[in-house]
Amino acid sequence: QIQDLTFLTKNYCLTELYLNNNELTDISGALKHLCALQILLLHNNQLTKLGKTVKELKGMISLQTLNLFHNPLAQDLDYRLYVIHFLPSVQLLDRKSVTQRERKSALHLYNHKRSCVVQSIAFGKKFYLPQGTTEGSIRYTQPARRLMMLSGCEFGDHRNKVPFENPEDAILARAMTRSLMEFSSVDWSKVATCQERRLENKAEESPEKLTVRFR
């Protein structure tokens, strides 16, 4: 029949806390100092405010197991996704493992802009392509052309600012030796976290990587 949690104010090192089957209506200001907490059972109480309850638990970066079922707040729309999004360290919620699909849905629901960024994120890098080398799906639409340099003329020769007989040849020569830009995109929602790899204890499948190269 516990209704007040002020007696916990000096218990900073708790890692497990079982408060289920009591008469708690609000935990605001009572648990936020328990940063080392890993297991918290609050099921079968009278907690009604989902936002305030989750806000109280946000500082618990080690919290892995959380029970909130059989509380009025558990009837809120998208209750489970809300808790998963704002308490990302939780691995077991209401006796059910948090899946990668649920994390993806929670991110899409509560942070749609970031979800779009995650889906489209790419890493760019430059690499040198020697003259005359073709790479991947790159296609050169310009016809092959013999590049004729005037005798005695080289790049940087101040005697002749145009070392090629045809200025277009100089442009083509530079284009053929210009570096390429490569972008690789990965769907991070399909990449398991370190904790998931430890829990599943199985070989991780390599995520699909899409690479696009262009000049």
Side-chain angles (χ1 to χ4, degrees):
Q1 297 180 345
I2 295 176
Q3 298 180 354
D4 181 59
L5 298 178
T6 54
F7 61 91
L8 290 172
T9 54
K10 296 183 179 180
N11 294 272
Y12 293 96
C13 297
L14 288 179
T15 57
E16 301 182 16
L17 184 56
Y18 303 90
L19 292 170
N20 48 299
N21 304 317
N22 283 291
E23 297 181 4
L24 296 171
T25 58
D26 188 9
I27 61 171
S28 298
L31 301 179
K32 63 175 60 178
H33 61 287
L34 301 178
C35 298
L37 209 59
Q38 299 177 12
I39 299 176
L40 176 60
L41 306 187
L42 286 168
H43 57 278
N44 198 20
N45 277 281
Q46 300 300 319
L47 299 174
T48 59
K49 298 181 179 179
L50 179 60
K52 291 182 66 175
T53 300
V54 171
K55 183 179 180 180
E56 183 70 15
L57 308 180
K58 278 187 176 181
M60 301 178 184
I61 58 177
S62 300
L63 186 62
Q64 297 181 8
T65 301
L66 175 64
N67 282 355
L68 290 172
F69 63 91
H70 290 170
N71 280 284
L73 58 77
Q75 304 302 318
D76 287 11
L77 183 64
D78 296 319
Y79 143 77
R80 184 173 175 87
L81 293 182
Y82 184 90
V83 175
I84 290 173
H85 178 71
F86 290 102
L87 300 177
S89 65
V90 173
Q91 303 294 324
L92 188 66
L93 176 60
D94 294 344
R95 299 176 180 175
K96 182 180 177 182
S97 297
V98 176
T99 65
Q100 191 66 23
R101 182 181 295 273
E102 287 179 317
R103 293 193 188 280
K104 182 178 179 180
S105 298
L107 180 64
H108 182 77
L109 181 61
Y110 292 103
N111 196 339
H112 182 68
K113 184 176 181 180
R114 182 182 178 187
S115 176
C116 293
V117 172
V118 169
Q119 293 300 322
S120 62
I121 192 169
F123 299 94
K125 63 179 180 180
K126 290 184 177 180
F127 62 95
Y128 182 78
L129 186 66
Q131 181 174 344
T133 303
T134 58
E135 180 69 30
S137 60
I138 299 173
R139 297 292 181 267
Y140 301 107
T141 58
Q142 295 182 351
R145 181 188 302 155
R146 184 184 178 191
L147 305 182
M148 299 294 295
M149 291 186 67
L150 297 178
S151 60
C153 295
E154 298 178 355
F155 285 108
D157 189 342
H158 295 288
R159 294 174 300 172
N160 194 328
K161 296 299 183 182
V162 184
F164 288 90
E165 183 178 1
N166 188 338
E168 292 185 0
D169 290 339
I171 297 174
L172 178 60
R174 183 174 181 181
M176 293 294 289
T177 57
R178 187 175 299 169
S179 64
L180 299 179
M181 180 65 73
E182 177 184 281
F183 284 93
S184 298
S185 179
V186 176
D187 186 355
W188 290 104
S189 65
K190 298 181 180 179
V191 180
T193 63
C194 294
Q195 292 179 337
E196 287 174 336
R197 287 196 292 268
R198 288 197 298 269
L199 291 174
E200 294 178 1
N201 194 24
K202 63 180 182 181
E204 179 186 0
E205 297 181 1
S206 299
E208 183 179 356
K209 179 181 178 182
L210 176 63
T211 300
V212 180
R213 293 175 178 175
F214 58 92
R215 288 195 183 277

